[in-house]
Amino acid sequence: DLKGFIFDLDGVITGTAKFHGQAWHQLADELGVTWTESLANGLKGVSRMDSLEMILKAGGKENDYTEAEKVAYATKKNDNYLKLISNMTPADVFPGVKEFLDDLLAKGYVISLASASKNAPTILKHIGLSDYFTKIVDPATLSKGKPDPEIYTRGAEILNLPPEACAGVEDAAAGVAAINGAHETSIGIGDANELSAADIIFSETSALTLANIEAQMAK
Ligand code: G6P
Ligand code: MG
């Protein structure tokens, strides 16, 4: 039986996936790399430096820059991203998410956060959910990012639960792969084709309820 839920942040709890996409798109334009939907989807859930590498690779430019130049580009993207998130408020929590978290906690489930974003604590503060997530995997301590399972394995460890007792909630294919690799139940939020590897898929967060999850798991 499930006892814990491990949440991704960007694109699951709030709409920051869109802002990451906008900021990377802007940088890709500057680098002369063609922005495509498949590149945009492939970047979801992927760490900052790995994302930059994927963009450079998509443009055949992976050998064109020094490490220092890459760090400068990643910093520039992040500065743009920080501007995009600066006006976020509790009204930006996706529909049904707060209700789902309240229901989980009221029923004795435990929750943790498995976001690759170093900005996650800042965003939680903006949207008023810092008190909900006292257990956060620090992405700076990971040896590998999503799709590697490490972040979701750690998300269960900090809950003191075996992976089988945990479900992970993700909007990205890389994140679903990480959950599956950690042997947890994967819940995808978004497009069923993009997230076809997930155990359970909901098109929107408003469908994220224990009743709906139980109904899907019974199938
Ligand atoms: C999340 C997002 C990615 C982002 C990554 C790193 O996983 O889905 O789009 O690249 O975090 O975020 P950061 O805020 O540290 O650059
Ligand atoms: Mg995400």
Side-chain angles (χ1 to χ4, degrees):
D1 276 11
L2 292 178
K3 295 192 167 68
F5 284 79
I6 307 169
F7 288 85
D8 174 44
L9 174 70
D10 300 305
V12 167
I13 289 174
T14 186
T16 37
K18 180 183 72 200
F19 296 144
H20 279 293
Q22 273 174 244
W24 283 127
H25 188 169
Q26 192 173 329
L27 186 68
D29 286 350
E30 184 182 329
L31 293 167
V33 175
T34 309
W35 187 252
T36 63
E37 201 186 317
S38 83
L39 178 58
N41 286 336
L43 294 178
K44 284 187 204 163
V46 175
S47 76
R48 195 180 307 170
M49 290 311 287
D50 287 352
S51 296
L52 177 63
E53 292 294 346
M54 280 175 71
I55 290 169
L56 291 174
K57 205 157 187 211
K61 297 174 190 289
E62 63 271 35
N63 299 317
D64 292 6
Y65 300 98
T66 64
E67 249 345 274
E69 287 169 327
K70 288 179 187 176
V71 169
Y73 280 125
T75 302
K76 189 168 187 183
K77 178 269 174 179
N78 193 54
D79 290 344
N80 275 326
Y81 175 71
L82 290 176
K83 280 180 207 148
L84 295 171
I85 65 169
S86 63
N87 293 320
M88 292 185 79
T89 72
D92 292 307
V93 176
F94 273 160
V97 169
K98 196 152 187 289
E99 293 75 2
F100 182 52
L101 297 175
D102 283 328
D103 192 38
L104 288 177
L105 297 178
K107 290 181 173 142
Y109 291 89
V110 286
I111 62 174
S112 64
L113 195 79
S115 168
S117 176
K118 293 178 175 159
N119 294 304
T122 306
I123 292 163
L124 288 174
K125 222 175 273 171
H126 274 296
I127 61 177
L129 292 182
S130 300
D131 291 346
Y132 285 75
F133 291 99
T134 54
K135 303 198 171 188
I136 299 177
V137 180
D138 179 359
T141 64
L142 299 171
S143 62
K144 282 182 174 172
K146 299 171 190 179
D148 188 276
E150 185 178 11
I151 192 167
Y152 276 95
T153 300
R154 293 268 300 279
E157 280 170 7
I158 58 176
L159 294 176
N160 293 313
L161 289 175
E164 295 75 24
C166 295
V169 190
E170 268 289 347
D171 68 315
V176 168
I179 298 169
N180 290 344
H183 307 290
E184 296 161 2
T185 298
S186 50
I187 302 175
I189 307 290
D191 182 76
N193 292 316
E194 205 185 314
L195 304 175
S196 59
D199 297 316
I200 300 171
I201 303 171
F202 298 117
S203 60
E204 288 176 353
T205 52
S206 51
L208 202 51
T209 64
L210 277 171
N212 285 344
I213 291 166
E214 279 155 15
Q216 289 296 319
M217 286 182 72
K219 278 188 186 165

